[in-house]
Amino acid sequence: MKATRLRAAGLAVALLGALVAGTPASAAESDTATDSTATTCVTDPAVPKRQFRAMWIASVTNIDWPTKASWTAPDQIAKQKAEYLAWLDLAQKLNHNAVVVQVRPTADAFWPSEVEPWSEYLTGVRGQDPGWDPLAFLVEESHKRNLEFHAWMNPYRVSMPAPGGAGADISKLAPNHPVRQHPDWVFAYPPAGVAGSRLYYNPGVPEVREFVQTAMMDAVKRYDVDGVHFDDYFYPYPSGTYQYPDDPTFAQYNRGFTDKADWRRDNINLLIQEMNAKIKSVKPWVKFGVSPFGIWRNKSADPNGSDTTGSQSYDIISADTRKWVKEEWIDYIVPQLYWYIGQYPAADYARLVPWWAETVRGTNVQLYIGQADYKSGDPAYGSFWMNPQELSNHLTLNRSYPEVLGNVHFSAVQVRANRLGATDIYAAEHYSRPALVPTMSQLPAKPLLPPVVTRAERQDDGVRLSWRQPADGQGPFGEATAYAIYRFDGVGLADRCDFADASHLVATVRGTDGDVQSWVDTTATAGAHTYYVTALDRVWNEGPVSPPRFVH
């Protein structure tokens, strides 16, 4: 006992309480999560116990956060903090469990980076110190709400088109921008002087690949992020007939490739593979995910492709997304399936979901679907998107494919806009209860002990629960990062199947410093209730349920 440094008294109370109170079978039969036996239970598909739910919060051109209006606010920092907290309020209202926040939009940073300039989207001035550390605030406040924080970064984009951005003009970048010292690291595409021209880091230059990884890893090392997230920008999307100006790069760094298209794909493969390895070598629990364009290849071009005819990420942006899944270089993938369900042969949502489900099947890569909230209620995108049920129908279709483990909505302002009431509809039909983030078996974990609920009492604002966590992170046991709270009407013992979906899950809460944890159930009604609490580690593995606690 001394060798494991257990808190003997707390452990004894926990185990004795479990025996006396009749712990539900899921805890008595196993020291794993309460949903370990869910396969034998009948569950309600409308209230899954585990489902990744998030929205993208975009900073490039101030799409979502911070607003341009914040730049001229009397207290810019307070204004930007308040704006972000409002997004977290919305996430909680919708029972989301994660946020995906863009913190490196154009080879810049939302933190005091050691190698890159401050982002212009914080102050309106490239390279200007905003006077605070936004990333530290974003992570801390997200975790207070028990929301996973995924740091969304764009690897290669250096500038946005003029007049709003620097365009192809290096002299308009921040004074301390690395490109000023290494102009050979970038190319303009489309060419300078053409509308829409902007700068990109050249993916074919080995020093560039190393540099962008170093820049992004700076945030991973210094901040408590839960994930690193790339979007769909690798090589630039083609513009007209203009070609990438990378012939000299290919000649110098071809690594024996004779086909330039294969070489470009390998450049991106190396980025993905190496980034994952670097993340895991520093923080093995940090997830790495990519949100690619929704079509890998069409079946007409490759027998492994989807039944579609649209643009192919494999060919147009050199992103071999299927390979990343099969090689398990990423932990999750969020294809942007921004199309409707219906007769749309180029890219029918109902054809692409099963293709992606089949692609991840048998791998450790989780599948979430990118949803086009921005199209809902906008007549410019056609009549299908004028159907208030369209997005909810997407989530209903997803239920037919067990590989689909969640959704990410683009983007926050569109979620909040709630055009046609579409957000309200899918939230009511699919996000009516909280949900735990899906676990990943490839991430490190230790067994958790059940909490000991020490008090449950009614007060003016609801029912206050208090509990302790025995042997928290000591000896062979894992550390509780958060807790799941279950409530049942009446007094009685729950069956293991009562924990198999989220029907009785009322909240997940972040752990706080100190031995005693507490939470107030403000939604508790009059009458008797039975509560159970479970511990969650930082990657959402769930320990056994506590002994029950009753309140009248």
Side-chain angles (χ1 to χ4, degrees):
M1 193 67 80
K2 182 177 179 181
T4 57
R5 299 181 296 128
L6 296 180
R7 297 174 188 168
L11 179 59
V13 170
L15 298 180
L16 179 61
L19 290 173
V20 172
T23 306
S26 59
E29 294 172 0
S30 170
D31 63 358
T32 57
T34 61
D35 56 349
S36 62
T37 54
T39 53
T40 64
C41 301
V42 176
T43 59
D44 183 350
V47 288
K49 179 164 180 174
R50 292 189 181 272
Q51 186 178 56
F52 189 85
R53 301 171 183 167
M55 56 186 169
W56 279 290
I57 301 177
S59 62
V60 67
T61 67
N62 301 92
I63 291 174
D64 296 313
W65 181 86
T67 64
K68 289 183 179 179
S70 72
W71 298 346
T72 55
D75 189 336
Q76 182 186 86
I77 296 173
K79 172 68 171 174
Q80 292 182 352
K81 287 182 175 181
E83 288 177 353
Y84 186 71
L85 294 179
W87 289 126
L88 298 187
D89 290 342
L90 178 61
Q92 284 191 297
K93 176 184 175 183
L94 297 174
N95 282 324
H96 286 189
N97 47 34
V99 287
V100 183
V101 186
Q102 193 172 33
V103 296
R104 186 181 179 270
T106 52
D108 49 11
F110 272 55
W111 70 96
S113 169
E114 296 180 352
V115 294
E116 291 188 308
W118 282 105
S119 176
E120 65 187 280
Y121 304 115
L122 289 165
T123 63
V125 179
R126 296 177 193 111
Q128 180 171 298
D129 188 336
W132 63 303
D133 186 341
L135 183 53
F137 176 82
L138 301 178
V139 173
E140 181 180 3
E141 293 300 324
S142 301
H143 284 170
K144 284 180 182 178
R145 315 290 186 102
N146 205 31
L147 296 165
E148 276 200 338
F149 184 91
H150 290 239
W152 170 14
M153 305 185 188
N154 187 286
Y156 292 125
R157 183 172 58 202
V158 173
S159 65
M160 295 297 287
D169 189 346
I170 292 177
S171 69
K172 291 184 178 179
L173 298 176
N176 62 334
H177 202 291
V179 169
R180 287 180 177 263
Q181 285 73 48
H182 301 279
D184 54 316
W185 281 6
V186 298
F187 59 67
Y189 187 85
V194 175
S197 180
R198 66 188 81 180
L199 295 170
Y200 293 88
Y201 277 124
N202 187 340
V205 177
E207 291 84 1
V208 164
R209 193 173 72 248
E210 178 68 24
F211 174 79
V212 299
Q213 291 170 359
T214 298
M216 294 184 288
M217 285 300 299
D218 182 57
V220 176
K221 292 174 181 177
R222 294 167 55 194
Y223 298 88
D224 190 23
V225 302
D226 300 292
V228 173
H229 183 96
F230 289 177
D231 54 25
D232 57 320
Y233 292 100
F234 297 101
Y235 273 86
Y237 278 92
S239 178
T241 59
Y242 297 112
Q243 302 298 307
Y244 304 139
D246 61 355
D247 284 348
T249 312
F250 180 58
Q252 185 174 359
Y253 300 113
N254 59 63
R255 298 188 302 280
F257 280 91
T258 57
D259 183 275
K260 190 185 293 184
D262 289 339
W263 167 74
R264 288 175 180 152
R265 276 186 289 273
D266 193 61
N267 291 332
I268 307 303
N269 289 345
L270 288 171
L271 170 74
I272 300 296
Q273 184 180 15
E274 292 170 358
M275 190 67 191
N276 182 57
K278 289 183 177 182
I279 292 169
K280 296 301 189 288
S281 70
V282 173
K283 293 182 177 179
W285 59 88
V286 171
K287 303 169 184 178
F288 180 38
V290 179
S291 174
F293 182 75
I295 299 173
W296 170 68
R297 298 199 88 186
N298 299 313
K299 188 179 294 185
S300 59
D302 191 305
N304 290 316
S306 52
D307 186 14
T308 49
T309 61
S311 298
Q312 308 169 108
S313 67
Y314 180 93
D315 300 286
I316 64 170
I317 55 174
S318 306
D320 192 354
T321 54
R322 183 176 182 272
K323 184 179 182 68
W324 307 343
V325 171
K326 297 302 184 183
E327 296 291 340
E328 297 183 343
W329 292 338
I330 53 179
D331 295 302
Y332 68 87
I333 194 161
V334 194
Q336 298 175 23
L337 302 192
Y338 293 169
W339 302 288
Y340 56 79
I341 298 172
Q343 300 304 312
Y344 184 51
D348 184 344
Y349 184 92
R351 296 182 183 183
L352 281 160
V353 168
W355 185 87
W356 281 104
E358 171 63 27
T359 298
V360 303
R361 193 170 299 145
T363 73
N364 280 327
V365 179
Q366 293 189 350
L367 173 61
Y368 318 140
I369 304 298
Q371 300 293 342
D373 288 52
Y374 72 96
K375 288 187 175 181
S376 180
D378 188 337
Y381 294 108
S383 61
F384 282 86
W385 289 104
M386 298 307 292
N387 175 9
Q389 286 285 151
E390 181 66 27
L391 286 171
S392 188
N393 290 344
H394 288 196
L395 274 57
T396 300
L397 185 149
N398 292 355
R399 293 179 188 171
S400 300
Y401 300 92
E403 294 82 8
V404 180
L405 297 178
N407 299 277
V408 185
H409 298 267
F410 188 83
S411 67
V413 292
Q414 310 296 340
V415 173
R416 184 176 62 189
N418 190 26
R419 286 187 297 274
L420 307 178
T423 303
D424 289 341
I425 292 170
Y426 71 66
E429 295 183 354
H430 299 278
Y431 300 161
S432 64
R433 308 292 297 177
L436 310 184
V437 172
T439 57
M440 293 182 175
S441 61
Q442 69 269 32
L443 303 184
K446 290 183 177 180
L448 295 161
L449 286 173
V452 180
V453 183
T454 55
R455 298 182 70 182
E457 57 184 1
R458 287 194 179 274
Q459 52 188 43
D460 291 344
D461 56 348
V463 174
R464 176 172 291 279
L465 296 179
S466 299
W467 64 89
R468 294 176 180 270
Q469 183 63 27
D472 192 14
Q474 297 188 23
F477 297 106
E479 182 176 355
T481 298
Y483 298 89
I485 301 167
Y486 300 85
R487 184 185 68 213
F488 297 82
D489 293 336
V491 174
L493 297 181
D495 180 80
R496 64 176 176 80
C497 285
D498 292 325
F499 299 92
D501 62 23
S503 296
H504 300 284
L505 179 65
V506 290
T508 71
V509 297
R510 199 76 172 186
T512 57
D513 292 337
D515 288 339
V516 178
Q517 307 290 312
S518 68
W519 173 77
V520 177
D521 182 4
T522 59
T523 65
T525 57
H529 298 296
T530 303
Y531 288 91
Y532 295 89
V533 181
T534 62
L536 304 164
D537 68 14
R538 69 164 301 136
V539 287
W540 297 80
N541 294 297
E542 185 177 33
V545 297
S546 69
R549 193 78 185 196
F550 310 113
V551 66
H552 295 278

